[in-house]
Amino acid sequence: MDANLKKVLLNVVYYSLIAVMVAFEVFFMITLANASMAVWEKVCYYILSGALVGVVVYDIVCTCLHRQKYIAGFILYVVTLCLVILSLIVMALNSANGRLLIDISERFFRIILFSYLINALAVLIYCTGEKLIVHVTNRAKK
């Protein structure tokens, strides 16, 4: 595959991942609105999901400018750590003797699954954007 086709494929994958993430983000917001969680838990998840969207928007800008991609990576790393910590706190507060109650487990795991899936998509978007920059940089050096 020649270099132009690789760049086209990378661009298609990059923007398709962004579209899939936006779709999952919308479903996550709907699911979160109907979840039977404490208000502070919902607010924290709304803030973190908004931060993930903000990081992806910043990542798109950095990818288009071909610089400062590492800052988006650091922000994504911090948001990921906060998401993992929040999910552990929510799980600890909603459990009794280390086990989740049966009536909340399905909704709880749906929220956790959506939040981790959106985070994984943000990481894939970051990695794809990094590969896109490396591809353009290597092509410019030749």
Side-chain angles (χ1 to χ4, degrees):
M1 185 181 294
D2 69 338
N4 287 335
L5 294 177
K6 284 182 183 178
K7 185 179 181 211
V8 169
L9 182 62
L10 278 172
N11 277 319
V12 167
V13 169
Y14 185 69
Y15 291 109
S16 297
L17 284 172
I18 291 169
V20 169
M21 183 188 161
V22 168
F24 277 118
E25 188 75 34
V26 169
F27 290 131
F28 178 67
M29 295 295 180
I30 293 169
T31 303
L32 192 57
N34 295 328
S36 60
M37 301 171 72
V39 175
W40 70 269
E41 294 169 344
K42 287 182 182 182
V43 169
C44 288
Y45 273 113
Y46 278 127
I47 290 171
L48 284 177
S49 61
L52 279 173
V53 170
V55 168
V56 169
V57 168
Y58 182 68
D59 182 63
I60 294 169
V61 170
C62 291
T63 302
C64 290
L65 296 177
H66 302 296
R67 58 185 169 146
Q68 296 182 345
K69 196 75 168 141
Y70 63 94
I71 295 173
F74 285 137
I75 297 170
L76 183 60
Y77 177 74
V78 169
V79 171
T80 301
L81 284 179
C82 290
L83 183 69
V84 169
I85 291 169
L86 178 65
S87 66
L88 291 175
I89 290 171
V90 169
M91 186 166 53
L93 291 176
N94 289 316
S95 66
N97 295 329
R99 296 163 64 182
L100 280 174
L101 303 174
I102 293 173
D103 59 337
I104 66 163
S105 63
E106 180 201 345
R107 283 174 282 199
F108 174 74
F109 285 119
R110 193 177 325 139
I111 297 295
I112 295 297
L113 175 71
F114 269 130
S115 64
Y116 281 9
L117 185 63
I118 292 168
N119 195 7
L121 286 171
V123 170
L124 285 174
I125 289 167
Y126 175 80
C127 293
T128 306
E130 187 69 33
K131 180 70 176 172
L132 193 60
I133 289 175
V134 168
H135 181 71
V136 170
T137 305
N138 288 343
R139 197 169 149 212
K141 287 181 181 178
K142 291 181 180 181

